[in-house]
Amino acid sequence: MNESPKIEDIEAKPDNAIIKIIDLHKWFGDFHVLKDINLEVKPQERIVVCGPSGSGKSTMIRCINRLEEHQRGQIIVDGVELSNNLKNIEKIREEVGMVFQHFNLFPHLTILENLTLGPIWVKKVPRHEAEELAMYYLEKVQIAEQAKKFPGQLSGGQQQRVAIARSLCMKPKVMLFDEPTSALDPEMVKEVLDVMISLAHEGMTMIVVTHEMGFAKSVAHRVMFMDEGRIVETNTPDNFFDHPEHERTQLFLSQILH
Amino acid sequence: MAVIIHTEEHVNLKPPTSTTGIIGWVRANLCNTWYNSLFSLLIIYILWQVMAPFINWALINANWTSSGAECHQSGGACWSIIHANIRFILFGFYPPPEQWRPLTAMIILFSLLIASRNRNWWSKNLLYTWLAGLIIMGLLMKGGLFGLTSIESDQWGGLPLTLMLSVFGLAAAYPLGVALALGRQSRLPVIKSLTVIYIEMIRGVPLISLLFMSAIIFPLFLPEGITINKILRAQVAIIMFTAAYVAEVVRGGLQAMPKGQYEAADSLGLNYFQTMRLIILPQALKIVIPPTVSVLISAFKDTSLVVIIALYDVLKTTQSTLSNPQWMGFSTEAYLFVGMIYFVCCYFMSTWSRRLEIELHTGR
């Protein structure tokens, strides 16, 4: 990895925010799960979101590509506002890639077909081009030799790398990661994190919900701590881990960094 | 603790003879415990008691060529009832000189079905072959063109009628059922409630009453002078009935799909129809192959209910044979024969579905 630039050197671009969340509220029935969320993400910025379970961190990133519907406030992705307008939702989903905790590969399709599905059907890329693209990204997550296999024949770590490659095939501007390593056996966490780190090297805009604090320290521009549906604290990784401002953050960190 | 060292000669040892071959099989499956040995003996004894007289009757003492009168003298089975009446059993009232036409049509149908068994052959060409085959079959049955005498559909009967009602019934009911299942899952309240009403109404009514309605009540609502073919009406009733059952089975499959599959499809930007066609239905329909085939098999057998609206399907033609004084009393033989026909068709469906399941298995 010596030839690539150090991650710290890749700064977020000072341009306009690629994701803007303004005064976001969401309820599940009577339960107020997101309260007054405000967030701006600049191109190439990498944000790690952490917090106790039930704090709304997954829900927040799922709102960004409308897997969850918000009830108040605004979410603007690359200049397009999320509303009930289906065209807008489709446009945003094309530009926002998502990686799930449980991979969610399509088990009835081969690895290659999993990757080409989006480009062929959504972007109308010709099949052979889509396959080249897919092989390029499979190469990149170092799993090209498995292209003809089915997801069920791969290990968890391999499946998650395929899932990342599947998202990348859509050439997204932003990648969302929803606890990408929590469902993995411990020895497979590193191979997935390595892929994510190399994505960071290439300047991908990333929002990552994770408890991998090592990853947060080395890769994130900002670390966000959420609790009870609110953003409690946003800070640089150094400050976040060494001098957390809020008592709640300190408590959380003391519990996970034993 | 003793150290175990594997030496070469342990690697390629054959299993002991007592666990392989016929003796091994008998030991493992029939006599593995004292009470299983006892059960095995008991069952063999019962089988002997039941099967020996049956074989005696059906094969050893059977009459294969004698006339009905001679049959009545002997105690064995009278298989001559089958070949003496085979034309009527298979083709009903279809005029005998023209019976090569339904026969050809059935051969075409079977060839197409067998060709369609192999999934590797599924292609546009097969579809065109099916279309061509259907047109030829229709032409053969109906006639009126190319010098073929026209045969009205009230003369159709026997096996071609049974096969027609079931093959088209099942082929049309399956996609309709899938559409209904999707409708029932729909977020649009109008579509959802219409499909729920349809499914619950149809499932709440016996097929016989649907057939009666199609035969007797439905024509009352048609404007004067317009008639719709009786077979077609029965066909539609069968399709509507089967589709409701298929819909509920498919809905089960749809509900078994993890939410993550929808989310993954959504996050790739696939729209509703793409998600259903490419992601959800291929998996959901695969899960429900066994119950779907059960529904289809029972629908196939239910086509025999068309007798109550005076259509002569293969069961009815067989039964009619028995009212001939010469052959009266040989119902066992006749029903065994027609039972074999049903069994062969159902067994075909069931083996094909098992093969399909194996082929579609992708390791999860």
Side-chain angles (χ1 to χ4, degrees):
Chain A
M1 277 197 198
N2 286 337
E3 59 273 21
S4 43
K6 282 170 91 179
I7 309 181
E8 294 83 64
D9 299 342
I10 305 170
E11 285 303 321
K13 288 185 179 162
D15 318 5
N16 284 335
I18 189 162
I19 296 178
K20 230 185 239 180
I21 301 179
I22 304 161
D23 196 18
L24 179 76
H25 289 262
K26 172 164 180 64
W27 288 264
F28 283 132
D30 284 337
F31 179 55
H32 200 173
V33 25
L34 292 179
K35 301 164 188 164
D36 196 23
I37 304 286
N38 285 284
L39 175 68
E40 283 200 4
V41 184
K42 300 239 182 310
Q44 299 204 346
E45 193 173 16
R46 298 180 294 275
I47 297 181
V48 164
V49 185
C50 57
S53 71
S55 60
K57 49 198 193 312
S58 286
T59 310
M60 182 191 74
I61 69 165
R62 286 159 60 87
C63 280
I64 297 173
N65 66 352
R66 198 62 166 197
L67 290 181
E68 303 286 355
E69 201 173 319
H70 59 276
Q71 280 97 17
R72 235 176 81 185
Q74 277 182 304
I75 300 176
I76 300 160
V77 181
D78 205 23
V80 182
E81 183 176 352
L82 266 179
S83 60
N84 283 325
N85 184 336
L86 274 177
K87 280 269 157 295
N88 282 1
I89 295 175
E90 278 171 24
K91 204 184 286 176
I92 286 172
R93 282 177 175 166
E94 267 185 58
E95 300 199 340
V96 178
M98 177 113 182
V99 175
F100 300 89
Q101 182 177 1
H102 295 287
F103 334 133
N104 296 353
L105 295 177
F106 305 128
H108 61 304
L109 300 177
T110 62
I111 301 306
L112 189 66
E113 289 165 337
N114 264 278
L115 267 70
T116 54
L117 193 79
I120 289 176
W121 291 90
V122 179
K123 296 210 153 170
K124 314 289 178 204
V125 175
R127 178 172 293 275
H128 66 275
E129 263 178 56
E131 280 176 4
E132 274 170 32
L133 186 75
M135 288 314 293
Y136 170 79
Y137 282 112
L138 282 179
E139 210 77 65
K140 206 160 161 161
V141 299
Q142 298 178 3
I143 212 162
E145 70 283 358
Q146 317 274 18
K148 295 279 175 237
K149 288 194 182 166
F150 287 98
Q153 297 165 305
L154 268 56
S155 73
Q158 290 173 321
Q159 290 195 48
Q160 191 62 298
R161 286 187 278 151
V162 171
I164 294 173
R166 177 175 70 179
S167 287
L168 292 176
C169 277
M170 293 297 287
K171 305 210 167 136
K173 292 188 177 159
V174 181
M175 287 282 284
L176 307 174
F177 293 84
D178 189 0
E179 308 208 25
T181 56
S182 335
L184 295 177
D185 289 340
E187 77 270 22
M188 293 170 182
V189 169
K190 189 175 173 296
E191 63 186 60
V192 171
L193 289 180
D194 282 347
V195 168
M196 291 167 65
I197 290 169
S198 78
L199 263 184
H201 276 290
E202 288 160 24
M204 176 61 77
T205 313
M206 299 159 79
I207 303 182
V208 185
V209 173
T210 186
H211 292 138
E212 293 294 332
M213 289 307 143
F215 176 80
K217 267 183 205 165
S218 62
V219 172
H221 292 118
R222 283 192 281 166
V223 181
M224 246 169 69
F225 175 69
M226 285 182 75
D227 190 27
E228 293 179 345
R230 286 178 207 283
I231 298 178
V232 175
E233 178 168 352
T234 309
N235 222 327
T236 61
D238 291 345
N239 283 337
F240 185 85
F241 290 108
D242 300 338
H243 316 286
E245 283 168 20
H246 281 263
E247 215 176 297
R248 189 68 192 84
T249 320
Q250 289 163 10
L251 185 68
F252 177 73
L253 286 175
S254 72
Q255 275 162 350
I256 62 166
L257 306 172
H258 13 250
Chain B
M1 218 172 94
V3 179
I4 299 165
I5 298 168
H6 290 273
T7 48
E8 278 303 307
E9 60 224 75
H10 283 116
V11 178
N12 289 323
L13 280 182
K14 282 187 181 156
T17 42
S18 59
T19 62
T20 56
I22 297 171
I23 297 170
W25 186 88
V26 169
R27 278 173 74 127
N29 294 294
L30 299 183
C31 313
N32 54 352
T33 55
W34 67 266
Y35 51 87
N36 271 355
S37 310
L38 205 64
F39 273 127
S40 300
L41 285 175
L42 192 69
I43 288 167
I44 290 169
Y45 174 73
I46 293 172
L47 273 180
W48 175 251
Q49 285 295 313
V50 175
M51 290 310 287
F54 177 78
I55 289 169
N56 246 337
W57 171 82
L59 299 173
I60 297 171
N61 293 333
N63 302 289
W64 300 92
T65 50
S66 35
S67 72
E70 287 163 359
C71 275
H72 280 292
Q73 307 298 320
S74 93
C78 183
W79 296 114
S80 37
I81 182 178
I82 305 301
H83 62 83
N85 297 294
I86 191 74
R87 283 184 158 227
F88 186 74
I89 291 177
L90 289 186
F91 302 113
F93 295 111
Y94 210 90
E98 304 291 335
Q99 281 175 358
W100 62 271
R101 282 157 53 179
L103 183 66
T104 320
M106 280 200 295
I107 291 170
I108 295 175
L109 183 66
F110 278 123
S111 323
L112 285 171
L113 285 175
I114 287 166
S116 313
R117 271 180 76 138
N118 192 340
R119 255 174 19 102
N120 298 330
W121 290 4
W122 290 7
S123 63
K124 277 231 170 83
N125 282 337
L126 186 64
L127 192 71
Y128 296 141
T129 318
W130 262 103
L131 285 177
L134 289 179
I135 293 168
I136 294 170
M137 281 186 265
L139 186 69
L140 280 170
M141 290 299 290
K142 182 97 177 108
L145 277 176
F146 306 120
L148 297 171
T149 17
S150 174
I151 310 282
E152 282 313 310
S153 62
D154 49 7
Q155 287 176 289
W156 298 5
L159 193 55
L161 182 67
T162 296
L163 290 176
M164 197 171 76
L165 287 173
S166 20
V167 171
F168 298 127
L170 305 189
Y174 188 68
L176 183 61
V178 172
L180 284 168
L182 291 177
R184 193 164 185 171
Q185 300 281 72
S186 169
R187 283 189 207 154
L188 306 172
V190 178
I191 292 180
K192 188 180 166 117
S193 38
L194 281 180
T195 46
V196 171
I197 291 169
Y198 174 87
I199 291 170
E200 294 306 335
M201 268 178 53
I202 298 279
R203 288 205 310 166
V205 173
L207 178 57
I208 290 193
S209 64
L210 269 185
L211 287 170
F212 263 132
M213 273 192 254
S214 76
I216 297 158
I217 302 172
F218 178 67
L220 299 179
F221 294 103
L222 288 176
E224 233 176 291
I226 294 181
T227 53
I228 294 177
N229 184 306
K230 193 156 86 174
I231 295 180
L232 186 63
R233 279 182 274 142
Q235 180 82 81
V236 170
I238 288 170
I239 291 171
M240 287 171 61
F241 186 78
T242 311
Y245 283 87
V246 171
E248 284 302 275
V249 166
V250 171
R251 187 166 70 101
L254 290 175
Q255 280 175 345
M257 293 301 299
K259 207 166 143 240
Q261 293 290 306
Y262 291 93
E263 291 180 349
D266 279 349
S267 69
L268 281 177
L270 296 172
N271 64 32
Y272 173 80
F273 292 102
Q274 291 168 336
T275 304
M276 286 302 159
R277 190 165 96 70
L278 302 167
I279 309 298
I280 304 301
L281 283 179
Q283 299 183 61
L285 296 182
K286 187 181 88 182
I287 303 175
V288 295
I289 287 175
T292 311
V293 172
S294 290
V295 167
L296 296 184
I297 283 179
S298 82
F300 170 69
K301 292 180 295 182
D302 283 351
T303 57
S304 55
L305 290 173
V306 295
V307 294
I308 60 130
I309 54 168
L311 289 178
Y312 273 68
D313 79 321
V314 70
L315 189 60
K316 181 67 182 170
T317 53
T318 310
Q319 198 189 6
S320 309
T321 313
L322 296 169
S323 56
N324 178 340
Q326 200 198 342
W327 299 109
M328 230 176 243
F330 298 115
S331 50
T332 317
E333 292 85 341
Y335 287 132
L336 271 177
F337 175 71
V338 75
M340 277 306 293
I341 296 182
Y342 277 103
F343 174 78
V344 167
C345 295
C346 294
Y347 190 69
F348 174 89
M349 285 195 256
S350 133
T351 46
W352 185 70
S353 78
R354 253 178 293 158
R355 217 175 74 166
L356 198 63
E357 270 182 87
I358 294 166
E359 278 174 24
L360 294 178
H361 183 71
T362 57
R364 186 156 126 185

